[in-house]
Amino acid sequence: MRGVIEELKLYKEGKKPYGFIAGDDGNTYYFNEQSILRKDSISNYYVGDEVSFTIEKTSSTHNRAMYIKLERHITSTPVAEYVNPGISKRLNLEKFESRLKPGSGELEVIQKLSEIFQITWIGQHTMDQSSTYEFCLAGVTEYLKQFVRESGEFLVVFSSFKNGGWQEKTLKVEREIRKRSEIIERRPLVNFYILISNATELRAKVDSVKGQPKAAVIPFSFEELLACQGKQDVLNCVINRFSEYYFENDMLAESDAIDDDNLLFGDRVKIAESIVARCEAGKHSGIFGLRRSGKSSVLNAVLRRLARKQIPYVKVEARNYEAYESWKDVLFDIACEAKANVFKIERGLNESRKDFIQRLQMRNTEEDYERRAVRCFIEDISACRSAINAKGENEQQFVIAIDEIELIAYNSASSDAWRTKESCRGFWSAMRDCGCPLVLCGVNSSLNETSTLDYQGEALDNPMYGRITDASTSVETYLPNFTNEQTKLMINTLGGYSNLDFTDVYIQINDAFGGQPWSIRQFCSYVFKSVREERRPDRPYRVSRAACTNLLRRYNQSSTGIEMCRTILQYLYQLYRNEYMLLGKLALNPDLHGVISADEVVSIDHLKKYGLIEHDTERGDIAFRIGIIRDFMCSEFTKDPKEMSNDERRRYVQDRVAICERKLKTLVRDCYLGEDESAGLSMIRQYIIKGGENGAKRNFAFKCNPLIPKGIDPYNCRFSDFFDHKKCTFYFSTLGVMITKSCWSRLKGKFKAANMNAEDFSTYMRDLNAGRIDADHYDAEDNTNSPGEWEIDDLTMQAFETAYARMEKLFQVCGV
């Protein structure tokens, strides 16, 4: 018999290890240590492992599995190498005693934890003058194997303060500790840490961040750990608390830029290392891609590597400078930061900007920059580079990295200051000529791709054209999409932290989102929230294909999914409008726009680079890579009437005539409201009784049925009832006659403001009928009744579009 281990209890008070296997026959089988072959141990098995076994019948609820043999470890769970409990031989506990707070219980707790973990490091971190936190690193032992499925160390943070009050900094200290160089090198596990505190509000504060896209916090009070008597008590306390908190955080939903190599997937690490190599060679690099494609995360990885290699750099956060009034001020600030970094000069906590700049002793002042900014910047940066190289024999680079360049680029900045010829030429000429390798990061790659920039008809030679050659080992500067295997590793690693297994659906998910890592994670987070209550702490929840299909459909229609599309496509319309419009046409009419000729390839350049479409270079076929983006574009765009079928044109006309009818009714109704309502009733009844201006021919201009619940009695009703199409059928052509013959004197001022006379209005009303022969007997507002079929040729459609555009202008002028 074959089956899969579905439950495993290795450490339970008063019981020996045991578990359950889901057999291929649909039955559940119990097993324990005696069920395992002699050369093996139950502790070597994991939930999800595939095994073979024989069946021993028992009188209990479940028959027993015997002679169990491992056939395959689950691919999403690596076999970890666990360490033994205790104090590491490299750690002299007595030496570190002085770093612990006396009388806090920290030392005693460390000794108790060493019975089930291996304590490997003790340190201290100061957040400010009044807040010092002790911490240690602990190695994962087999006691945690049912939760932690990877080898390594994890953080244990102590928060002990005399008053027993909660410190708001406590939940921030873990991230700060992880940034310490000695901790980075040890690479502690990223998905959880233990927090031990004497704060009375501990559990309430930790519960308030439970489920967030950050490392899970496993909280313990000093009191409960110190009260434990013996190893088993400590183990029971730890296992119970891990069961409650470990799988509850959602690291799939992380949206901030990643600052830990352990959370980088795909080729992002290789790309970062390639860029560092280019920096060392004095070459420029670009990191471009859609919003949320991981650009800033790669840039952070580059900067971490530069710091480890002791290569000085300055990171320019464009967001901090987008509102500056002058690009010259930005160059001065960057030069100041460069000098401060090179000479290790830190601004004091209460030091003013003026005093700090004075202490920097810059070669050029702000006033100098105002007169000749480019030359001043080049001089100041050259001085920094000379100071760097004076320290060693080998020439060393100084790197300038700019993040979110679209915020200060000529064609995508929100500020007028950055959208001038002078700012573009000045700022980027200074960057080009300063002699530093540049790393440019953002959505907008135009600075590298366009030789001549256009400013309202004025041309400017682009100072940065063609100077950024690649972001990785490929010739492209754009981040690549994830392969199936890369997506599998990412979502099974991050999903594993929430006890989710995507092994059956990773290809389905990768295809649905075109290998875009952020989009994939957001959907997987949606899955986590959807199945959260159905998970069990003792085994991974395996997401099925059926569940994935249904959740994909719901996600695509959800506000979360729609907002994701808006986020991804931000800037595309502004930067590459023609390509954006083509994307919309492809979504609405793939039959017409699904093939690109060889000379049109340039029109899909960025859509390919961004990974939004696939392109068959042999046949010229193009298609969406991301289904949800296609659906979003369909909802945002309206098909060009020239490309519509006749059925689509009829529906298009019907919808817009209904809009016109409602707004024209509003105009007529409003011009008779108040004191003139009686005049309005007289005018309406004239059309019912006398047939209006055309006598008996217009007897059926209105159809009011007093016998139906929603009908009206034309002689005993309110004036506004005539304008409710559910109570009164109101023909569109009658509306036009009524306005020109009976209401024009009241409305002509509004029509005049829209440059429309009565003759024009009548022409537009006729053109809005779009050749409909039954227009006289059709209520456009009533979508339950079909207007019938009629042919709408190109000329008729063109006249309709012109008429509708003029009517829209009228409604805008009239405020309806």
Side-chain angles (χ1 to χ4, degrees):
M1 174 68 68
R2 293 178 72 99
V4 174
I5 295 177
E6 66 172 3
E7 194 170 341
L8 198 58
K9 300 289 186 183
L10 296 177
Y11 308 104
K12 193 168 179 69
E13 186 178 7
K15 291 189 177 182
K16 293 181 178 180
Y18 68 95
F20 293 94
I21 298 171
D24 287 348
D25 60 355
N27 294 321
T28 300
Y29 298 92
Y30 166 85
F31 71 99
N32 57 19
E33 191 73 60
Q34 285 68 46
S35 304
I36 311 297
L37 294 173
R38 286 186 181 180
K39 62 180 181 180
D40 210 345
S41 167
I42 193 173
S43 63
N44 293 332
Y45 288 81
Y46 294 80
V47 172
D49 282 349
E50 294 180 7
V51 294
S52 59
F53 58 94
T54 61
I55 300 170
E56 181 184 88
K57 292 188 177 181
T58 69
S59 57
S60 302
T61 306
H62 302 288
N63 289 328
R64 182 176 175 182
M66 293 295 295
Y67 305 110
I68 293 175
K69 178 184 176 184
L70 178 66
E71 297 293 340
R72 187 172 71 90
H73 275 300
I74 58 171
T75 54
S76 59
T77 304
V79 181
E81 294 182 5
Y82 297 109
V83 296
N84 295 320
I87 304 290
S88 172
K89 294 178 181 178
R90 299 180 182 180
L91 179 64
N92 184 345
L93 191 56
E94 292 179 2
K95 177 183 174 182
F96 289 93
E97 241 182 279
S98 59
R99 300 188 186 181
L100 304 174
K101 290 178 182 174
S104 64
E106 290 172 349
L107 177 61
E108 292 83 355
V109 166
I110 287 175
Q111 289 170 332
K112 285 181 179 290
L113 291 180
S114 69
E115 296 187 62
I116 58 173
F117 305 137
Q118 185 180 92
I119 307 301
T120 58
W121 178 280
I122 295 176
Q124 191 178 69
H125 186 80
T126 301
M127 291 289 282
D128 54 42
Q129 294 176 350
S130 62
S131 303
T132 300
Y133 294 83
E134 287 64 42
F135 68 92
C136 65
L137 291 177
V140 179
T141 61
E142 285 208 45
Y143 292 118
L144 283 185
K145 72 174 292 182
Q146 65 198 75
F147 304 102
V148 186
R149 295 162 187 156
E150 50 191 324
S151 311
E153 297 173 314
F154 60 90
L155 271 174
V156 180
V157 178
F158 297 99
S159 174
S160 177
F161 294 93
K162 289 182 180 178
N163 60 7
W166 175 257
Q167 303 286 320
E168 291 302 327
K169 295 178 276 295
T170 298
L171 292 177
K172 299 176 182 177
V173 69
E174 166 255 347
R175 284 207 168 189
E176 296 304 312
I177 292 173
R178 291 183 188 274
K179 294 176 184 177
R180 294 166 64 117
S181 57
E182 69 272 26
I183 301 302
I184 290 174
E185 291 173 3
R186 300 183 74 102
R187 301 182 71 174
L189 300 176
V190 294
N191 64 306
F192 79 100
Y193 69 98
I194 287 177
L195 174 62
I196 302 170
S197 171
N198 66 345
T200 53
E201 299 177 79
L202 172 65
R203 292 291 291 273
K205 293 294 185 180
V206 172
D207 285 348
S208 71
V209 298
K210 200 175 183 181
Q212 290 190 2
K214 295 179 174 64
V217 187
I218 317 294
F220 297 91
S221 69
F222 280 96
E223 185 180 11
E224 64 184 325
L225 288 176
L226 292 173
C228 290
Q229 300 295 319
K231 173 181 174 180
Q232 191 61 47
D233 268 5
V234 177
L235 181 59
N236 291 340
C237 180
V238 167
I239 294 298
N240 289 336
R241 196 59 46 80
F242 266 73
S243 297
E244 190 177 349
Y245 285 89
Y246 183 77
F247 290 123
E248 293 309 304
N249 279 33
D250 180 15
M251 294 192 71
L252 288 157
E254 179 65 77
S255 289
D256 294 336
I258 294 167
D259 52 13
D260 192 313
D261 279 3
N262 292 317
L263 292 174
L264 286 176
F265 298 92
D267 290 329
R268 290 350 190 204
V269 169
K270 289 182 181 178
I271 292 171
E273 290 170 349
S274 172
I275 292 173
V276 170
R278 294 184 59 75
C279 290
E280 291 178 300
K283 297 178 181 179
H284 304 318
S285 297
I287 309 171
F288 299 116
L290 289 168
R291 286 203 71 210
R292 303 292 190 181
S293 57
K295 303 177 299 298
S296 295
S297 298
V298 173
L299 180 60
N300 289 345
V302 169
L303 300 182
R304 287 195 298 273
R305 283 158 174 76
L306 292 176
R308 285 202 290 270
K309 288 176 173 282
Q310 297 185 323
I311 299 174
Y313 66 85
V314 60
K315 181 183 180 183
V316 180
E317 296 278 7
R319 188 167 294 281
N320 296 336
Y321 297 113
E322 63 176 324
Y324 269 46
E325 293 182 1
S326 171
W327 58 275
K328 298 176 182 180
D329 295 336
V330 177
L331 285 180
F332 179 71
D333 277 11
I334 295 172
C336 289
E337 190 174 347
K339 184 166 185 180
N341 287 1
V342 169
F343 290 94
K344 311 295 183 190
I345 303 172
E346 292 187 13
R347 183 175 173 180
L349 190 62
N350 299 314
E351 188 176 17
S352 69
R353 179 179 181 273
K354 181 179 178 181
D355 290 343
F356 178 60
I357 290 173
Q358 189 173 352
R359 189 156 60 89
L360 284 175
Q361 297 182 343
M362 297 295 293
R363 179 185 294 257
N364 295 286
T365 65
E366 284 185 271
E367 290 74 22
D368 295 331
Y369 270 75
E370 197 58 42
R371 293 192 299 273
R372 47 189 182 88
V374 176
R375 185 184 298 177
C376 289
F377 183 77
I378 293 171
E379 288 176 359
D380 285 336
I381 295 300
S382 295
C384 289
R385 293 172 59 226
S386 298
I388 294 167
N389 291 315
K391 298 177 183 178
E393 298 178 1
N394 299 323
E395 184 176 348
Q396 195 175 22
Q397 301 294 340
F398 179 76
V399 179
I400 298 178
I402 306 180
D403 196 14
E404 295 187 284
I405 64 166
E406 57 273 4
L407 301 178
I408 59 172
Y410 76 100
N411 59 344
S412 54
S414 58
S415 165
D416 290 337
W418 289 105
R419 293 201 298 264
T420 66
K421 285 175 64 175
E422 182 191 19
S423 65
C424 181
R425 178 167 47 213
F427 183 83
W428 292 108
S429 293
M431 289 296 153
R432 177 193 63 192
D433 297 334
C434 71
C436 295
L438 304 176
V439 183
L440 303 186
C441 179
V443 176
N444 188 353
S445 60
S446 301
L447 281 165
N448 188 50
E449 298 170 342
T450 307
S451 60
T452 304
L453 309 180
D454 180 70
Y455 286 89
Q456 298 177 341
E458 293 184 67
L460 168 69
D461 288 338
N462 183 357
M464 288 299 296
Y465 173 61
R467 294 181 179 271
I468 305 164
T469 50
D470 68 6
S472 64
T473 54
S474 70
V475 295
E476 300 290 355
T477 60
Y478 288 74
L479 292 180
N481 296 349
F482 276 24
T483 65
N484 286 337
E485 289 303 313
Q486 289 169 343
T487 291
K488 178 183 180 182
L489 178 61
M490 177 180 72
I491 62 179
N492 269 343
T493 300
L494 298 177
Y497 299 151
S498 302
N499 220 17
L500 293 184
D501 180 3
F502 293 96
T503 300
D504 292 339
V505 294
Y506 69 91
I507 295 176
Q508 184 180 1
I509 293 173
N510 199 54
D511 286 347
F513 295 96
Q516 293 285 348
W518 180 73
S519 305
I520 290 168
R521 290 203 314 273
Q522 297 311 298
F523 170 69
C524 290
S525 170
Y526 181 81
V527 173
F528 165 69
K529 293 179 176 70
S530 301
V531 305
R532 187 171 191 161
E533 301 305 319
E534 298 160 31
R535 299 169 307 135
R536 291 172 53 178
D538 55 342
R539 59 178 175 179
Y541 181 96
R542 201 153 192 167
V543 182
S544 69
R545 290 183 179 87
C548 185
T549 299
N550 285 329
L551 289 171
L552 272 170
R553 186 181 66 255
R554 292 177 200 166
Y555 182 73
N556 287 6
Q557 298 167 354
S558 70
S559 58
T560 307
I562 292 169
E563 184 57 35
M564 184 203 76
C565 294
R566 294 190 193 281
T567 299
I568 287 176
L569 295 174
Q570 187 180 6
Y571 295 116
L572 184 60
Y573 175 78
Q574 185 176 353
L575 293 172
Y576 313 112
R577 185 166 302 180
N578 290 338
E579 293 185 60
Y580 182 84
M581 301 306 289
L582 175 59
L583 199 65
K585 291 177 180 178
L586 178 62
L588 290 170
N589 203 338
D591 290 338
L592 190 60
H593 298 284
V595 178
I596 291 288
S597 66
D599 5 343
E600 294 177 305
V601 169
V602 66
S603 68
I604 59 168
D605 183 44
H606 296 94
L607 299 181
K608 286 171 59 180
K609 290 175 177 176
Y610 283 138
L612 290 171
I613 63 170
E614 291 193 75
H615 177 218
D616 185 324
T617 55
E618 298 295 324
R619 286 173 42 87
D621 294 299
I622 61 172
F624 274 86
R625 292 193 67 173
I626 309 174
I628 188 173
I629 296 289
R630 180 194 60 232
D631 296 343
F632 173 77
M633 297 301 282
C634 285
S635 67
E636 291 287 296
F637 274 73
T638 301
K639 188 183 285 189
D640 186 336
K642 295 188 185 102
E643 299 179 0
M644 290 180 182
S645 66
N646 201 62
D647 286 341
E648 289 171 329
R649 286 183 175 184
R650 286 198 298 266
R651 182 75 258 174
Y652 179 82
V653 166
Q654 183 180 352
D655 290 344
R656 277 150 188 76
V657 169
I659 292 170
C660 289
E661 181 168 331
R662 284 194 295 271
K663 293 187 176 184
L664 288 172
K665 281 182 178 179
T666 301
L667 282 178
V668 174
R669 184 195 64 204
D670 290 353
C671 77
Y672 284 100
L673 284 179
E675 295 179 359
D676 288 340
E677 236 180 271
S678 58
L681 279 168
S682 297
M683 183 271 294
I684 291 285
R685 286 167 183 158
Q686 174 184 321
Y687 273 82
I688 296 173
I689 301 168
K690 299 180 180 179
E693 297 292 329
N694 296 324
K697 291 182 180 179
R698 305 216 56 83
N699 277 340
F700 298 99
F702 293 84
K703 287 185 179 179
C704 307
N705 187 349
L707 300 178
I708 61 174
K710 291 183 179 179
I712 60 170
D713 178 352
Y715 300 99
N716 295 287
C717 67
R718 295 176 302 172
F719 175 63
S720 59
D721 287 341
F722 286 101
F723 299 90
D724 182 347
H725 79 276
K726 295 178 181 177
K727 298 179 180 178
C728 180
T729 300
F730 205 130
Y731 294 143
F732 187 63
S733 57
T734 300
L735 189 55
V737 174
M738 183 189 303
I739 290 173
T740 54
K741 300 297 183 183
S742 301
C743 309
W744 190 258
S745 59
R746 293 172 180 266
L747 293 171
K748 67 180 178 181
K750 294 184 176 181
F751 280 79
K752 185 178 180 180
N755 295 318
M756 189 183 298
N757 58 36
E759 185 179 347
D760 290 338
F761 175 69
S762 297
T763 300
Y764 297 142
M765 290 293 285
R766 184 183 65 248
D767 290 342
L768 285 173
N769 281 333
R772 228 174 17 193
I773 57 174
D774 60 348
D776 233 19
H777 306 286
Y778 172 58
D779 175 15
E781 280 199 81
D782 186 0
N783 288 329
T784 60
N785 294 321
S786 170
E789 295 188 2
W790 77 97
E791 294 297 319
I792 307 176
D793 59 29
D794 290 344
L795 197 60
T796 303
M797 194 72 241
Q798 187 176 347
F800 173 85
E801 286 282 272
T802 302
Y804 186 70
R806 290 303 310 275
M807 296 298 277
E808 277 192 314
K809 183 179 178 182
L810 169 68
F811 299 142
Q812 186 178 8
V813 169
C814 296
V816 294

